Amino acid sequence: MAAGWALHLFSDSAAREHADTEIAIPAEGFNEIMDALPDFEWDVVGDGRIWPFPEQRAIHFQTWLREPATGIYRLDVFREPSIDEHWVCRRDATITLPYRELILHSSNGIPYVIPEVALLFKAKHLRPKDAADFYNVLPAMDQARRSRLHSWLSKVHPGHPWIEILASCNS
């Protein structure tokens, strides 16, 4: 699980309604997801546009699964870069993590991305729900997670308002 659901699974304080289900996978594993869901259609999403799959697949990382009969989107798949057993941040390739550190598991065994990665990507747009997610999950993050997010935001989004908040938490 990724994005808001990942934060929801990390801390009950981040629980809220979610409009969709988002997962992140290594890009090279996307065909396995497609093969597992043969009765659906896929679209590539980016720059505020939607293209039929596989058009623009090489340029954009986001892929939506759609019910053919209704046109309703059911799943948002982020195709993430990776090298060997390491995730590579698509916004700054110097940020990497072994998958064993990137993925946590809920008490029910559901895998989800660590909160600092979810928040790094949510920081780009600063929508009200993303700000709420940040403030709701921040108390559940330990010093190491807050420090890592602070460092990553400073690289990827210099001047972002969360950097100052994280700095005050870490001092």
Side-chain angles (χ1 to χ4, degrees):
M1 300 300 288
W5 272 111
L7 298 173
H8 189 143
L9 290 167
F10 179 75
S11 172
D12 287 339
S13 63
R16 63 171 172 80
E17 292 293 321
H18 300 276
D20 58 0
T21 300
E22 298 151 320
I23 64 170
I25 61 163
E28 64 273 7
F30 183 68
N31 288 342
E32 292 178 46
I33 300 292
M34 284 182 47
D35 291 346
L37 300 163
D39 298 330
F40 295 88
E41 294 177 354
W42 295 91
D43 293 315
V44 175
V45 182
D47 297 331
R49 296 195 51 207
I50 300 173
W51 295 273
F53 186 86
E55 189 179 327
Q56 302 291 315
R57 176 184 184 174
I59 298 168
H60 298 285
F61 65 89
Q62 197 168 5
T63 317
W64 289 352
L65 173 131
R66 175 172 36 88
E67 288 182 354
T70 65
I72 296 172
Y73 288 103
R74 297 293 182 184
L75 183 64
D76 188 349
V77 180
F78 300 114
R79 293 173 279 110
E80 297 292 322
S82 64
I83 299 173
D84 299 323
E85 292 297 313
H86 286 75
W87 164 78
V88 178
C89 178
R90 64 181 125 84
R91 295 196 182 143
D92 183 330
T94 66
I95 299 171
T96 66
L97 278 179
Y99 282 109
R100 69 181 182 282
E101 292 179 35
L102 176 72
I103 301 167
L104 298 174
H105 292 83
S106 72
S107 59
N108 295 333
I110 300 168
Y112 63 94
V113 69
I114 58 176
E116 52 269 42
V117 168
L119 289 169
L120 176 65
F121 287 104
K122 287 179 148 292
K124 181 178 180 181
H125 298 292
L126 263 185
R127 300 169 298 189
K129 71 177 181 178
D130 300 325
D133 285 345
F134 172 76
Y135 288 109
N136 288 335
V137 82
L138 186 61
M141 293 175 66
D142 63 20
Q143 173 93 14
R145 292 191 187 287
R146 291 191 308 265
S147 292
R148 188 171 1 194
L149 179 58
H150 179 274
S151 171
W152 290 347
L153 284 172
S154 297
K155 290 173 87 171
V156 177
H157 300 293
H160 194 285
W162 295 351
I163 294 171
E164 188 174 323
I165 295 163
L166 289 161
S168 68
C169 290
N170 292 332
S171 54

